[in-house]
Amino acid sequence: MSLLQVERLNAFYGDFQALFDVSLDVAPGTISAVIGPNGAGKTTLLRAIAGGVRKLDGAITLKSEPLRGLAPEAITRKGIGLVPEGRRLFPSLTVRENLLIGGSPKRSGPWDLNAVHDLFPILKERGHHMSTELSGGQQQMVAIGRALMTNPDLILCDEISLGLAPTIVEDIYALLPKITDNGTALIIVEQDVGRALRSATRVSCLMEGRVVLQGPADAYSFDEVAAAYFGAPAA
Amino acid sequence: MTQPAVTQAGPHARLTALCIAAVILALALMPYFADRFVLRTATEMACFLTLAVMWNLLAGFAGVMSIGQQLYVGLGGYAFFLIAAMGGVPLMAALGLSGLIALLIAVPAAFLLFRLNGAYFAVATWVLAEIAALIAAQSDAVGAGAGLSLPLQVARALGNNDERTAIFWWLALGLAVSAYLVAYLWLRSGRGLALMAMRDDAEAAGGLGVSTRQNRLMVYSVAAFFTGIAGAIIFLTKLRISPSAAFSVNEWTAAVIFIVVIGGLGSLEGPIIGLAVFFALRTLLADFGPWYLIILGAIAIATMLTAPGGLWGVLHKRFGWDVFALRRHVKLTIGEKS
Amino acid sequence: MTELMNIAVQGIAIGGLYALFAAGLSIVFGVLRLVNLAHGDMIILGAFTGYVVAVSAGMGFFAALVIAPILMGFVGYWLQRLLLNRVIGKDILPPLLVTFGLSMMIQNALLLVFTADSRKIALGEIEVASVQLAPGVAVGSYGLIVLAVAVALIGALHLIFTRTAIGRAFRATADDFETARHMGIPTPHVFGLATGLALMACGIAGVLLAVWTSFTPLSGTARLLIAFEVIVIGGIGSIWGTLIGGFLLGLAQAIGGAINPEFQMLAGHLAFLVILVLMPGGILAKGARA
């Protein structure tokens, strides 16, 4: 039984169509990677699921409940957390306050301030610093922790490795299984194809708003994905 | 990829221009067939139209929200009365000078005001107008709170009552037509394009090398000039000026905002429609006291909520009408987003 | 010397009232990035509400000081949810125009109900009583009460913003409205609460104003401008800045008024201009501008 189902999703910005008939299935406790070049519609897909795109066509359901048309805050309350591109922490809030904001929807679940501190001990230590004073990696931890605080069934992670040193990215990726252990699923948008294939159970490759490749991550070799990525003949 | 073809003129540009010219000619001939009451109303309307076009240029095109344009109405009015009192200055020169004085005040004022952004700019313009009103009310040189009357010989020099009414009308009409012409030419120029770009996104336009600040400054100054002359003509027709009348926010800004919002913010056609609606409502609701302004406020709010482009926006969308062809028509040969 | 002291004391006392005028405007701007042009009229609406409770219903000043803010808060919440939430966005024109229209409507609706007669809530002896601070230096007791209320209200607002969950939500929403929604913050409700809180402050300011001086339905404009100047002087977006801005504006007016009673308002406006020229970020500049 799938957790999230996206069926034939079309998304528009004004007259411009950003997604064409995109379908996606996410099972609980899994990691799905969405890859593709810049402008392929990866962020749009995440935004659409999270309720950030107004003009949509198609179906999005979470545990068989329709999500399309709901306000972003309602979608979060249904169980979808977001780690936005560029982290977007609240600059006038401390680290601790940023995490507490994630507790706004008041969903019950394993994640609270203590659990997030256990996952990212540094955040406890730096709890009273302003989020802007942290390093990029620490900021990314706040962004992930903030999403966890909503106790989501599914977290959408938009380019969590962007602008971070490789070792820090490794550290963060190494912690992801601790999140999925609880049954929480992840969709990660990732530029690094190799990393996406290594960490994800399923992979979808987007090109110009369309799914060009989709399936279990271990079913594809790096070269096959790379071929799709760079626009292999659409035969 | 083929170069897209950009044309600016609408399909019936020449016909439209002829029609506009005919309408202006007919209006100019009004003193020969219309009675004094009609002429006086028309004069008032033409002054309001000038104010509306200028306010629309600021708010609708340049994205500069002023609620202190009464400052320039009042300044223009007072300047004119002071110049007229000196005697010997020809009428047209006195009007031009009034506009220039408004402009002279506008430039330093702008340097102050443009330190504030958006909404704060708006309230600060109002504060400046209040300051001017307070100063006028306390300066004996301009009659303090009681204000000034136009020297009798100035009014007499313009002829008898009928001749005066005609002259006032021609002045107001001339000003409104010039205001339109300036706005139109400006908006069709490169600067106009920049103006509209910065209304849509000041940051992006800045990135394109469009100097937001300089453009806004110029629009603000031009608006002050025309608003000042409009003020001079308004109080010339009234023959009296006082601080409360000269710097009235309700009279010279609220009403003008109403005209533009109802007619169509960001369109040149809008103010004309808004003007008609405003004068119709004012006549209809004249006997209802406070209800008049309550209804006006409610209509303006409802318009902002349901049709931010105003009545003209609705008409343009429905029928594709476009009298002043401001939009550039881009013909793309490849079907891509424009 | 005593004369100067008296002027200073007088300025600070009225500064408290001015800070109260500004508090609501500051909240709404701080959370919604919206300048409410009907703010002055809302203070006057608060004054009339207080007048109806205290005088028309005969329940007295203290009842008015409690009931008027509650009613105003309720009005504010629903005004935001039903009307203002629809016009909030990147474009600053719609909210400005809508609140300007609202200002016209409130003013004239009050004229319709209460006519243009000036009114006042009488408080009896407290109004004329004064406290001796030093030989020859006295301050009105009522001025002190207003000052105390202003400090208490601004202190309370500071605590709400920094220590409570709703305050956290206010700041997060002000920082990044879209991300706040993705974190599950119901922004329409949060905006409603912010405006509700702002109008509660307007209610308190209005009732206190109603005792301080007489007012008419048209008294709002002057109060909007004062509130605005206080915020710019104190530094946009700073809650404690409203108190300092209020004091400075009050002092400027007191000094101007001492020179010539007619200069009182003008001196305040000029002080505002001077600050704008010399310290465009306000006294407590945070660097950030709208």
Side-chain angles (χ1 to χ4, degrees), chain A residues 30 52 54 77 111 123 139-140 147 150 179 186 227:
Chain A
T30 60
R54 281 275 177 80
R77 262 176 274 149
W111 296 104
L123 298 188
Q139 288 191 14
Q140 194 57 270
T150 66
I179 296 170
L186 294 170

Side-chain angles (χ1 to χ4, degrees), chain C residues 157-235:
Chain C
L157 288 176
H158 176 76
L159 288 179
I160 289 174
F161 267 78
T162 53
R163 299 288 162 83
T164 65
I166 185 65
R168 208 155 54 217
F170 282 158
R171 283 180 289 141
T173 310
D175 276 352
D176 186 340
F177 163 77
E178 283 192 8
T179 305
R181 299 187 78 179
H182 286 303
M183 298 307 135
I185 293 178
T187 45
H189 174 65
V190 168
F191 284 163
L193 289 178
T195 306
L197 195 60
L199 286 218
M200 282 181 88
C202 285
I204 294 172
V207 172
L208 294 176
L209 167 75
V211 176
W212 194 290
T213 180
S214 57
F215 58 96
T216 76
L218 303 177
S219 308
T221 304
R223 273 72 202 187
L224 167 70
L225 296 184
I226 287 172
F228 167 74
E229 290 175 344
V230 165
I231 289 184
V232 173
I233 292 174

Side-chain angles (χ1 to χ4, degrees), chain A residues 127-208:
Chain A
H128 291 285
H129 285 76
M130 298 313 280
S131 54
T132 45
E133 298 171 272
L134 269 56
S135 72
Q138 291 166 351
Q139 288 191 14
Q140 194 57 270
M141 290 175 198
V142 179
I144 295 170
R146 187 177 61 175
L148 284 172
M149 289 287 288
T150 66
N151 273 305
D153 297 317
L154 168 70
I155 303 182
L156 312 171
C157 299
D158 201 348
E159 307 247 12
I160 46 177
S161 47
L162 199 72
L164 300 184
T167 54
I168 295 168
V169 177
E170 281 305 325
D171 290 347
I172 290 179
Y173 267 86
L175 289 173
L176 296 186
K178 286 199 184 176
I179 296 170
T180 50
D181 278 351
N182 289 315
T184 305
L186 294 170
I187 298 181
I188 51 172
V189 161
E190 182 54 69
Q191 292 275 8
D192 182 337
V193 176
R195 187 187 313 286
L197 289 178
R198 279 199 304 280
S199 20
T201 37
R202 282 180 70 81
V203 64
S204 306
C205 183
L206 288 182
M207 286 279 291
E208 290 175 354

Side-chain angles (χ1 to χ4, degrees), chain B residues 55 59-60 63-65 67 112-113 115-124 126-128 130-132 134-135 137-138 201 249-250 253-255 257-258 261 265 288-301 304-305, chain C residues 25-26 29 34-35 37 82-83 86-87 90 92-105 107-112 221 224-225 228-229 231-232 236-237 262-263 265-266 269-270 272-273 276-280 289-290:
Chain B
W55 191 81
V64 173
M65 171 81 184
I67 35 180
L112 254 180
L113 292 167
R115 285 161 172 257
L116 294 166
N117 275 331
Y120 279 84
F121 172 90
V123 190
W126 196 351
V127 171
L128 281 191
E130 282 299 303
I131 291 176
L134 284 171
I135 292 175
Q138 275 150 41
D201 190 341
V249 64
N250 280 334
T253 300
I257 290 178
F258 177 86
V261 168
L265 196 63
F288 292 89
W291 276 112
Y292 160 56
L293 287 166
I294 295 176
I295 291 171
L296 230 53
I299 292 177
I301 292 175
M304 276 325 288
L305 289 178
Chain C
L25 196 63
S26 181
F29 181 77
L34 176 148
V35 169
L37 292 182
L82 299 177
L83 177 66
R86 293 160 186 253
V87 288
K90 264 192 174 167
I92 63 148
L93 280 182
L96 279 178
L97 293 175
V98 165
T99 54
F100 195 65
L102 215 52
S103 156
M104 269 163 78
M105 290 179 73
Q107 238 176 56
N108 288 283
L110 287 174
L111 269 177
L112 209 59
T221 304
L224 167 70
L225 296 184
F228 167 74
E229 290 175 344
I231 289 184
V232 173
I236 292 167
E262 290 192 333
F263 288 166
M265 290 306 286
L266 194 57
H269 289 320
L270 292 177
F272 160 74
L273 282 188
L276 196 56
V277 175
L278 300 180
M279 282 177 275
R289 307 243 89 191

Side-chain angles (χ1 to χ4, degrees), chain B residues 61-102:
Chain B
F61 290 100
V64 173
M65 171 81 184
S66 166
I67 35 180
Q69 291 307 96
Q70 66 273 22
L71 171 63
Y72 301 110
V73 173
L75 277 177
Y78 269 105
F80 180 80
F81 274 54
L82 290 177
I83 294 165
M86 292 189 297
V89 183
L91 181 65
M92 295 298 276
L95 287 174
L97 272 175
S98 309
L100 275 180
I101 287 170

